Amino acid sequence: MPTSLQPPICVIGLGLIGGSLLRAATIAGRKAFGYNRSIDAVAEAQAAGFDVFGDLGAALAEAEQQHALIVVGVPMPAVDPIFAAIAARAPSCTVTDVVSVKGAVLDAATRHGLHGRFAGGHPMAGTAESGWAASFPELFHEAVWVVEAEADTNPEPWLQTAQLALDCGAVVVPANAVDHDRAVARISHLPHVLAEALAIAGAAGHDLALGLAAGSFRDGTRVAGAAPDLVRAICEPNSTALLVALDEALAELHKVRVSLAETGTLGDLADRGHSARMRYESVKRPDITGIRIGEPDWANALCDAGRRGGVIRALDALS
Amino acid sequence: MPTSLQPPICVIGLGLIGGSLLRAATIAGRKAFGYNRSIDAVAEAQAAGFDVFGDLGAALAEAEQQHALIVVGVPMPAVDPIFAAIAARAPSCTVTDVVSVKGAVLDAATRHGLHGRFAGGHPMAGTAESGWAASFPELFHEAVWVVEAEADTNPEPWLQTAQLALDCGAVVVPANAVDHDRAVARISHLPHVLAEALAIAGAAGHDLALGLAAGSFRDGTRVAGAAPDLVRAICEPNSTALLVALDEALAELHKVRVSLAETGTLGDLADRGHSARMRYESVKRPDITGIRIGEPDWANALCDAGRRGGVIRALDALS
């Protein structure tokens, strides 16, 4: 693998994802440093032996000098000012991000003129915890890491981002921003919304209902335990795609409501839900091969393969 | 504890719950035997050393001779013929059940004239597996076991059922059938319905969405992996209470739909859902005390205590 695929890493924002990334990249032998706004987390990361700045300008100057790949790991509302700072202070660095939506981040990258050196990313990993203290390097092991490929994405930032994901122990799924955001609305944002509604309906049954709750309620409401600010930061930037998924779920729930009221049965809901869960449990992840990054139409070819469930486990297996 | 509280146990139906109960009661030192319709399960249970009949009449004759507590562990649709057989063949036995709804079972008990010697039960325990092969004696350890107390429930079947639950390692929550069915609609049946709808919405995103699914989708759809027949047998006999809980969830989801469409936000859903989940995580289970079973209005007093989250960990601690 040419050296240019593994430049130093500059992680902006050392929460659960960014902090875990700094740890994982370091363990993988990558030169990596970071920045965090909170002084406490900076001190903790420094005490743990990491090269971490509490000053954004200083971190970006170091990134520029080292031709680093900058990884933006801040919540969506903070992405805009970080991109503005990167445009001003690190004009030659490649850039990626680990934010949970891709369309809004891509728009921001374009607004700030970063587009030609940017490829978005989204590691599908997390826990109920947050912050540097919760970070750990194994977070990405065997996780799926989406690396965004648009028709006009440049090969260098895409390859650097994909290599970083692989170095952290993840497998890469290529997708464009629109497909990504529609997919995560279904399998991440809708689950959050349903979990919140289920928790509320359970608690409305007071201590008796909550005291009888066993596995189905515990698992079905687990993500309602996440901090409300975090849930909003994850779901709200993807409101358009979330609405589509929510409307589909509402249509199913209305159908079963009518069936329960008229016949006392679930209709075909349980059969179709069971088939859907079985399809999830048996989903195949074939290796993507036969695509040379940079060849004509490579991004579309990657996205087509990603839509079929394909993954990349090593860049040199790709072509 | 007087001997009459621990009569021999006759378990009718040796699936996951009934089979586990036969094992747990035996380990607790109780004399226990059973009946199952499937010859294969009878042979397996006999090979494992249990006293199991393949003939219902023979099992009930044995129960009558031993003054056993009969535990009905068959799916709701099979309850009626079993109660008819008990009425005909075991006229002096006390009776309980482990079916997941209580109103429909109570109605059946009344129809067959069993009411005076019946107290319903519902252990809140289960796995995704079913059948004798999946049964294990620890299934009830620390689980909640609802023991039904109606205004006209007699003390003897109630005490025998509660003692059996405790002998199996569970804690007892007293509730009447109406309260029980409303509560489990919220924390067991609604979770099933939402899990099925979520699984369908996820699978509509095809391989890309299913390939990106991580913890929130996996946990939120886990119970959609249960066999459709089992889901229907659990939910449909409680359709009236399930409709109430489903309508509450639909109202929440409509509210957040409007909020997403008009303002791109979740409104207050995440705050209220988080509070509800925190309430579930911190639910208190005080010991119920100061009630003598058989004293005037004892069943109502028990149900009031159960509504406040109270549990019974030993019968002699009750009064």
Side-chain angles (χ1 to χ4, degrees):
Chain A
M1 200 64 58
T3 312
S4 70
L5 287 192
Q6 297 179 304
I9 303 297
C10 171
V11 185
I12 304 295
L14 301 173
L16 171 66
I17 304 289
S20 296
L21 201 162
L22 180 63
R23 293 177 189 274
T26 301
I27 287 176
R30 300 286 296 264
K31 183 169 171 50
F33 57 100
Y35 155 79
N36 201 64
R37 199 180 53 170
S38 145
I39 300 295
D40 290 349
V42 170
E44 284 174 52
Q46 287 173 340
F50 293 97
D51 181 14
V52 172
F53 295 80
D55 179 79
L56 180 60
L60 293 178
E62 182 73 13
E64 179 68 13
Q65 195 186 359
Q66 295 196 21
H67 303 289
L69 169 61
I70 299 172
V71 184
V72 176
V74 299
M76 187 63 223
V79 165
D80 234 42
I82 296 292
F83 277 2
I86 291 172
R89 308 284 188 101
S92 66
C93 289
T94 47
V95 182
T96 186
D97 74 288
V98 291
V99 179
S100 60
V101 291
K102 298 277 62 76
V105 174
L106 181 61
D107 291 347
T110 304
R111 264 200 311 279
H112 292 283
L114 305 181
H115 188 70
R117 52 190 174 109
F118 174 79
H122 183 201
M124 308 301 299
T127 68
E129 309 300 312
S130 58
W132 168 263
S135 68
F136 61 101
E138 299 82 10
L139 179 62
F140 310 109
H141 279 196
E142 301 297 320
V144 166
W145 194 313
V146 175
V147 181
E148 181 186 0
E150 307 291 341
D152 55 356
T153 298
N154 277 322
E156 191 185 12
W158 194 90
L159 285 166
Q160 288 182 356
T161 302
Q163 186 60 50
L164 174 62
L166 296 170
D167 286 346
C168 290
V171 300
V172 168
V173 168
N176 64 37
V178 169
D179 284 351
H180 168 276
D181 288 356
R182 287 177 180 163
V184 296
R186 294 179 182 282
I187 54 80
S188 171
H189 305 163
L190 181 62
H192 274 284
V193 167
L194 294 182
E196 308 283 7
L198 177 58
I200 292 168
H206 306 294
D207 286 348
L208 178 61
L210 293 177
L212 299 189
S216 62
F217 186 80
R218 184 187 61 234
D219 289 355
T221 62
R222 184 182 58 81
V223 293
D229 281 347
L230 186 65
V231 174
R232 282 189 288 264
I234 289 173
C235 294
E236 293 181 348
N238 200 27
S239 60
T240 306
L242 176 52
L243 259 181
V244 173
L246 178 55
D247 280 346
E248 286 183 23
L250 279 167
E252 286 295 341
L253 296 174
H254 275 293
K255 215 170 87 178
V256 72
R257 196 231 171 268
V258 169
S259 181
L260 278 168
E262 292 183 354
T263 66
T265 76
L266 297 180
D268 62 0
L269 181 77
D271 293 301
R272 291 168 52 246
H274 185 258
S275 296
R277 169 76 190 191
M278 290 301 103
R279 189 170 159 200
Y280 159 68
E281 289 182 13
S282 63
V283 73
K284 296 281 185 299
R285 294 181 167 183
D287 283 344
I288 298 175
T289 58
I291 299 171
R292 190 178 300 270
I293 305 305
E295 73 183 10
D297 216 33
W298 65 273
N300 283 333
L302 275 185
C303 291
D304 282 345
R307 273 182 216 110
R308 291 192 294 269
V311 302
I312 300 163
R313 293 186 171 83
L315 285 180
D316 52 13
L318 193 52
S319 56
Chain B
M1 199 65 58
T3 311
S4 70
L5 287 193
Q6 297 179 304
I9 304 298
C10 171
V11 185
I12 304 295
L14 300 173
L16 171 66
I17 303 289
S20 296
L21 201 161
L22 180 64
R23 294 177 188 274
T26 302
I27 287 176
R30 301 285 296 264
K31 181 168 172 51
F33 56 100
Y35 155 79
N36 200 64
R37 197 180 54 169
S38 144
I39 299 295
D40 291 349
V42 170
E44 284 174 52
Q46 287 172 340
F50 293 96
D51 182 14
V52 172
F53 294 81
D55 179 81
L56 179 61
L60 293 177
E62 182 73 14
E64 179 68 13
Q65 194 187 359
Q66 295 196 23
H67 303 289
L69 168 62
I70 299 172
V71 184
V72 177
V74 299
M76 187 63 223
V79 165
D80 234 43
I82 295 292
F83 277 1
I86 291 172
R89 309 282 190 99
S92 66
C93 289
T94 48
V95 182
T96 186
D97 74 290
V98 291
V99 180
S100 60
V101 290
K102 297 276 64 77
V105 174
L106 181 62
D107 290 347
T110 304
R111 262 198 315 278
H112 291 283
L114 306 182
H115 189 71
R117 51 190 175 108
F118 174 78
H122 182 201
M124 307 300 299
T127 69
E129 309 299 313
S130 59
W132 167 263
S135 68
F136 61 102
E138 298 83 9
L139 179 62
F140 310 109
H141 279 197
E142 302 297 321
V144 167
W145 193 313
V146 175
V147 181
E148 181 185 1
E150 308 290 341
D152 54 357
T153 297
N154 277 322
E156 191 186 15
W158 194 91
L159 285 166
Q160 288 182 357
T161 302
Q163 186 60 50
L164 174 62
L166 296 170
D167 286 346
C168 290
V171 301
V172 168
V173 168
N176 64 38
V178 169
D179 284 351
H180 169 276
D181 288 356
R182 288 177 179 163
V184 296
R186 295 178 182 281
I187 53 82
S188 171
H189 305 161
L190 181 60
H192 275 284
V193 168
L194 294 182
E196 307 283 9
L198 177 58
I200 293 168
H206 306 293
D207 286 348
L208 178 62
L210 293 177
L212 300 188
S216 62
F217 186 80
R218 184 187 60 234
D219 289 356
T221 61
R222 183 181 59 81
V223 292
D229 281 348
L230 186 65
V231 174
R232 283 189 288 264
I234 289 172
C235 294
E236 292 180 347
N238 199 27
S239 61
T240 306
L242 175 53
L243 259 182
V244 173
L246 177 56
D247 280 346
E248 287 184 20
L250 278 168
E252 286 294 340
L253 295 174
H254 276 293
K255 216 171 87 177
V256 71
R257 197 231 170 268
V258 169
S259 181
L260 278 169
E262 292 182 353
T263 67
T265 75
L266 298 179
D268 62 359
L269 180 77
D271 293 300
R272 292 168 52 244
H274 184 257
S275 296
R277 169 76 192 192
M278 292 301 103
R279 189 169 161 197
Y280 159 67
E281 288 182 13
S282 62
V283 73
K284 296 279 186 299
R285 293 183 166 182
D287 283 345
I288 298 175
T289 58
I291 299 171
R292 190 178 300 272
I293 305 305
E295 73 184 8
D297 215 32
W298 65 275
N300 283 333
L302 274 185
C303 291
D304 282 344
R307 273 184 217 109
R308 292 191 294 269
V311 302
I312 299 161
R313 294 186 172 83
L315 284 180
D316 53 13
L318 194 51
S319 54

